[in-house]
Amino acid sequence: MRNNNLAYHADDRYRKIHDNREIRKITNIRSTGGVMIKTGSGQKRKVNTAAGRNRRPKSRINRGTVISVIVLASMAFLVLFRGLMITSGYEQLEKKNTMLSETIAENQKLQFKIDQTLDLKNIEKIAQNTFNMGQPSKSQTIYINLEQSNEVKKVRSGNSLIDAVKNFFSGIVEYFA
């Protein structure tokens, strides 16, 4: 058995066997899906082998399929991105709402303090203690007569047009001064 096995022969003998024409006629020709064997009468016979059955044909991916997968993936990404943007918007809205409620509470506290300080007794205390103010004395009191008569006196001027122009320009000068 050792003599028939090509592994034990020298490389020269192995080359000579494959160069022989008669052996070439009997050798296997591989094709997809099995082994083709040449017979002596010139016919080819296909023999299925385990290697031929396990072999899968190469799958070619269609361009349309690739494009549709890319489009679907991009649409899914856009939906997820939109959801992320909505979620972040809600988070910002919640932060703003908490800030608003805190500001309203602080504003109510300040308004309460303002209402307390507007008490007249409290103002009087602050004026007496802080600014050393007191009740006015009799020497500081001035009385004014508010009685008026119901008479109207008309004073006539000499040149009414010239006085009106003077009054107009003097009013402008006072306004800008």
Side-chain angles (χ1 to χ4, degrees):
M1 181 139 191
R2 281 184 138 197
N3 293 335
N4 292 336
N5 194 343
L6 294 176
Y8 293 106
H9 292 291
D11 289 336
D12 297 335
R13 288 183 166 177
Y14 183 69
R15 282 193 207 124
K16 288 180 185 176
I17 292 173
H18 281 284
D19 290 339
N20 193 347
R21 284 186 171 196
E22 290 181 23
I23 294 176
R24 254 197 238 161
K25 286 181 184 179
I26 302 172
T27 58
N28 298 335
I29 300 172
R30 294 214 174 248
S31 67
T32 58
V35 176
M36 298 293 288
I37 297 177
K38 284 186 180 180
T39 58
S41 61
Q43 295 177 348
K44 293 181 182 177
R45 192 170 135 203
K46 186 174 182 180
V47 176
N48 285 333
T49 61
R53 276 185 263 150
N54 291 338
R55 198 178 219 186
R56 293 185 194 166
K58 290 183 180 178
S59 62
R60 293 186 182 181
I61 300 174
N62 193 358
R63 284 185 184 170
T65 306
V66 172
I67 291 172
S68 63
V69 167
I70 290 172
V71 168
L72 287 174
S74 63
M75 289 174 68
F77 176 75
L78 288 175
V79 168
L80 291 173
F81 184 71
R82 185 184 66 173
L84 179 66
M85 295 301 289
I86 290 171
T87 304
S88 66
Y90 278 129
E91 289 174 359
Q92 289 177 356
L93 181 64
E94 287 297 320
K95 286 179 184 177
K96 297 289 182 179
N97 282 337
T98 55
M99 288 175 54
L100 177 65
S101 63
E102 289 172 359
T103 305
I104 288 172
E106 183 180 349
N107 193 14
Q108 289 174 347
K109 287 178 185 177
L110 291 175
Q111 187 64 39
F112 182 72
K113 285 183 180 179
I114 289 171
D115 290 341
Q116 282 182 340
T117 56
L118 289 180
D119 185 27
L120 291 177
K121 291 180 182 178
N122 192 17
I123 293 173
E124 186 178 350
K125 259 188 221 178
I126 292 173
Q128 288 175 352
N129 296 334
T130 307
F131 300 111
N132 294 327
M133 298 176 88
Q135 294 291 332
S137 63
K138 289 188 177 185
S139 65
Q140 294 174 332
T141 307
I142 300 174
Y143 295 100
I144 300 174
N145 186 9
L146 296 176
E147 291 181 21
Q148 294 180 356
S149 63
N150 290 335
E151 296 178 14
V152 177
K153 292 182 182 178
K154 186 175 182 182
V155 178
R156 185 171 183 165
S157 63
N159 233 345
S160 64
L161 183 62
I162 294 173
D163 290 337
V165 171
K166 283 182 185 178
N167 289 337
F168 175 73
F169 283 113
S170 64
I172 291 176
V173 169
E174 287 177 18
Y175 178 74
F176 287 112

